[in-house]
Amino acid sequence: MRETTVGIGSGAENVTEFGTSDMVLNIGPQHPSTHGVLRLKLVLDGERIVAAEPVIGYMHRGAEKLFEARDYRQIIMLANRHDWLSAFANELGVVLSVERMLGMEVPERAVWARTLLAELNRVLNHLMFLGSYPLELGGITPVFYAFESRETLQHVMEEASGGRMHYMFNRVGGLKEDLPAGWLGRVRAAVAQVRSQMHRIDDLVLGNEIFRGRTAGVGVLAPELVHAYGVSGPIARASGVDFDLRRDEPYLAYGELGDVLRVAVREEGDCLARFECLLEQTHNSLDLADACLDRLAGLPPGPVNQRLPKVLKAPEGHTYTWTENPLGVNGYYLVSRGDKTPWRLKLRSASYNNIQALTELLPGTLVADMVAILGSMFFVVGDIDK
C-alpha cells in the first residue's frame, strides 16, 4: 500500500490514495464450480481477471501407458472411461483403428447399430450439460428434467449392452452380441418420449431472461482462437467454425444420413451460442436415431460381428482414426509392431484442447462471469487428464 497527498484546487485538502496489487486466487482443484478436480489459477485486479491458467493432471491415470500393456480386447475397457459421459464413442475409435489396420469389413447391421448407439450416447452426454449448466447459474429445475430424459435412454442402452455407463458393447469386427428381441421398438418409444420432453428445456432455459442475461455476449471465443488451440465440437461450431466429422469425413453410416444430419452452427461465440449449439445438436441426434431405427428395421437378419482368432494381432504399421465425439474430435494414433498389444496408442481427447482456450477466454472478464464461461466449455475432467 502506498499513501500520497494530492492538492485539489487552491484548497489545502489532502486526499489519501491507496495503491492496489493483484491477487492470486485458486479455483479448485476441489471446488463446486469446476466439474471435478480441475484447478484454475486466476490473477485478479479487484473483480476482474487479469490472467488465467488451467492447472490439470489431478486425475491423471496414465491411460496411454496402460493401453500398451493390454491386448486389443482389454483396451476397449480402458478407453471408454476417459470421458465417462461418452463411453460408447470412446470405444468406437479404438475398434475402428484396429479394424482399419486389419482391413476388416464390419457387417452392415453392426454399422447401423453402432451409428444408432453413438447418437443415443451423444444425447445422453448433451442432456447432462443441458441440465447442469443452468444449475451452475442458479436454475435448479432443468437438471431434474434432463435426468428424467437421461434415465429413459439409459434404460434401453443398459438393456442392450448390460452396462449403465461403461457399455463395453463394441468389439473389433462389430458388436458384442445381437440386439435383444423387440429392442428397436422400445428404443423408438424412448426416443419419442425424450423428444416430447425437450420443449421443457427449450422453453424453461432459452426463454429465461436471467439465463440470457448471464450468457449473451459473455465469454466470446473468436474463430482464430478455435483454430489456434484446436478447439472442436459444439464449442467450435458456436464460434462459426463449421466442422463436423460426421459430415466432412463420414464414418459408420453417416455418409448415408446426409439428408437427416444437420450441423448446428452459430456466429456469436458466446456462452449462449454454445448452449444453443448443444441443444440443437441434441434435437438432431434424436432425428438421426429415428433414421437408424428405420434402416435397421428394414435389414434382414444377419451377424453383427466377425469371427476373430483367439489371439488378435494387428499387423505392423500405424494409423490415425478420429471420430466426432459428443464433446468434439476424439482421435487415436495406433502404432503396431505386429504384437497382440499396441506399441503405442496416443489419445487426442476433445476436452484437453478445448479447456486450454481458457487462458485467452477468461482474462478481462469478471469473476462473476467465470463460472458461466467455465460451465459453457462442456468438458469432462477425465477427458482432460486422460
Side-chain angles (χ1 to χ4, degrees), residues 67-256:
F67 290 159
E68 298 171 15
R70 304 294 192 277
D71 66 36
Y72 290 107
R73 294 179 175 90
Q74 295 168 326
I75 285 173
I76 298 171
M77 180 275 294
L78 290 171
N80 67 21
R81 282 164 165 74
H82 58 86
D83 174 3
W84 46 78
L85 297 178
S86 309
F88 189 86
N90 299 341
E91 299 172 8
L92 195 57
V94 173
V95 297
L96 290 176
S97 293
V98 181
E99 288 164 4
R100 181 180 294 178
M101 293 282 282
L102 293 168
M104 180 179 290
E105 291 290 332
V106 175
E108 187 179 15
R109 291 187 70 241
V111 171
W112 282 96
R114 279 177 171 178
T115 310
L116 168 62
L117 291 163
E119 289 306 312
L120 293 177
N121 193 195
R122 194 181 308 276
V123 175
L124 284 168
N125 175 288
H126 291 353
L127 282 171
M128 174 65 78
F129 293 106
L130 292 174
S132 66
Y133 185 46
L135 181 65
E136 291 162 2
L137 299 181
I140 192 171
T141 307
V143 75
F144 296 120
Y145 289 145
F147 267 78
E148 182 182 349
S149 295
R150 273 177 56 85
E151 285 300 314
T152 302
L153 293 179
Q154 287 279 29
H155 182 72
V156 293
M157 293 287 282
E158 185 176 2
E159 181 187 358
S161 66
R164 180 169 172 80
M165 288 188 69
H166 304 300
Y167 305 109
M168 278 298 293
F169 200 50
N170 276 294
R171 294 290 186 275
V172 176
L175 298 173
K176 180 178 74 172
E177 58 194 9
D178 206 348
L179 301 171
W183 184 78
L184 295 180
R186 291 188 286 278
V187 174
R188 192 179 294 277
V191 169
Q193 182 177 343
V194 172
R195 182 184 286 109
S196 70
Q197 296 170 342
M198 286 300 296
H199 72 91
R200 301 186 297 189
I201 295 178
D202 294 341
D203 301 339
L204 191 63
V205 180
L206 287 183
N208 187 290
E209 61 183 41
I210 299 175
F211 178 83
R212 301 185 76 88
R214 290 291 307 275
T215 56
V218 176
V220 177
L221 180 64
E224 297 77 23
L225 291 177
V226 170
H227 295 300
Y229 283 89
V231 176
S232 59
I235 300 171
R237 292 191 284 272
S239 295
V241 179
D242 188 2
F243 179 71
D244 190 312
L245 286 171
R246 297 174 297 168
R247 178 199 62 197
D248 301 327
E249 290 194 20
Y251 57 99
L252 295 182
Y254 290 114
E256 300 181 47

Side-chain angles (χ1 to χ4, degrees), residues 319-335:
T319 188
Y320 179 71
T321 304
W322 56 351
T323 55
E324 188 67 40
N325 271 32
L327 298 181
V329 172
N330 189 82
Y332 291 100
Y333 179 58
L334 171 62
V335 182

Side-chain angles (χ1 to χ4, degrees), residues 244-374:
D244 190 312
L245 286 171
R246 297 174 297 168
R247 178 199 62 197
D248 301 327
E249 290 194 20
Y251 57 99
L252 295 182
Y254 290 114
E256 300 181 47
L257 292 169
D259 57 334
V260 183
L261 176 61
R262 300 184 307 276
V263 179
V265 181
R266 297 290 188 276
E267 299 295 332
E268 295 81 1
D270 57 10
C271 296
L272 180 60
R274 290 190 278 274
F275 186 85
E276 288 177 341
C277 278
L278 204 71
L279 184 58
E280 186 176 330
Q281 192 166 283
T282 305
H283 283 283
N284 185 234
S285 289
L286 293 172
D287 294 339
L288 288 167
D290 274 338
C292 292
L293 287 168
D294 292 340
R295 184 59 184 267
L296 281 167
L299 291 177
V304 292
N305 48 41
Q306 297 275 26
R307 292 184 63 87
L308 298 175
K310 188 173 183 180
V311 178
L312 178 64
K313 296 182 179 181
E316 188 170 349
H318 61 91
T319 188
Y320 179 71
T321 304
W322 56 351
T323 55
E324 188 67 40
N325 271 32
L327 298 181
V329 172
N330 189 82
Y332 291 100
Y333 179 58
L334 171 62
V335 182
S336 172
R337 291 187 171 177
D339 299 322
K340 65 178 182 179
T341 61
W343 184 76
R344 185 78 170 92
L345 186 59
K346 169 67 178 175
L347 168 60
R348 189 267 189 216
S349 64
S351 298
Y352 179 83
N353 284 69
N354 291 355
I355 208 67
Q356 306 307 318
L358 287 171
T359 57
E360 305 273 0
L361 201 54
L362 288 177
T365 63
L366 296 172
V367 175
D369 290 328
M370 183 274 298
V371 175
I373 296 170
L374 184 64

